[in-house]
Amino acid sequence: MTDRTEKVIIVEGLTDKKQVKKVIAEEAEIICTNGTLGVEKFDELLDNHDLDNRDVYILVDEDSPGIKLRNQLSRELPHARHIYVSSEYREVATTPENILATELVGKRIAVNPIFLI
């Protein structure tokens, strides 16, 4: 794992991942959980991505499943930083790029400046 980036952004689904990839301007690994995680799946995620030793960001939807996942990840990864989308948009995938970019910049994640207008 010598080629890995230090930053990991955990999202729920593929559309969330695409939205984040569109906005960020630095190398970061974006991991899709595809919903809540069982113990075995979480342990696999933890080991495969060395989450205990990396800068982890949690960016999930502001709906019931997203909040449940955020709570689960918070317990398992207490060092993780949280990025929130407005409940007005509810989902990462439907959050306008400029709003998402502002939230990411607030956590010191580089974004494409065209989204900060």
Side-chain angles (χ1 to χ4, degrees), residues 66-116:
I67 293 167
K68 182 178 178 184
L69 178 60
R70 182 183 297 281
N71 290 336
Q72 178 186 15
L73 291 169
S74 294
R75 284 189 303 274
E76 302 295 337
L77 299 167
H79 69 287
R81 295 179 187 100
H82 295 269
I83 305 170
Y84 295 91
V85 295
S86 170
S87 57
E88 176 183 352
Y89 306 112
R90 291 194 62 206
E91 299 177 359
V92 173
T94 59
T95 300
E97 289 94 348
N98 63 321
I99 304 293
L100 186 57
T102 301
E103 294 301 319
L104 292 165
V105 164
K107 297 297 180 181
R108 300 186 186 274
I109 297 172
V111 301
N112 187 325
I114 66 166
F115 295 114
L116 295 175

Side-chain angles (χ1 to χ4, degrees), residues 6-11 26 28-31 51 54-60 70 73 77 79-83 103-104 106-110:
E6 285 307 309
K7 291 181 181 172
V8 176
I9 303 171
I10 299 176
V11 298
E26 70 176 271
E29 183 175 4
I30 304 170
I31 300 171
L51 297 180
R54 296 174 74 189
D55 295 331
V56 178
Y57 299 84
I58 299 169
L59 175 59
V60 295
R70 182 183 297 281
L73 291 169
L77 299 167
H79 69 287
R81 295 179 187 100
H82 295 269
I83 305 170
E103 294 301 319
L104 292 165
K107 297 297 180 181
R108 300 186 186 274
I109 297 172

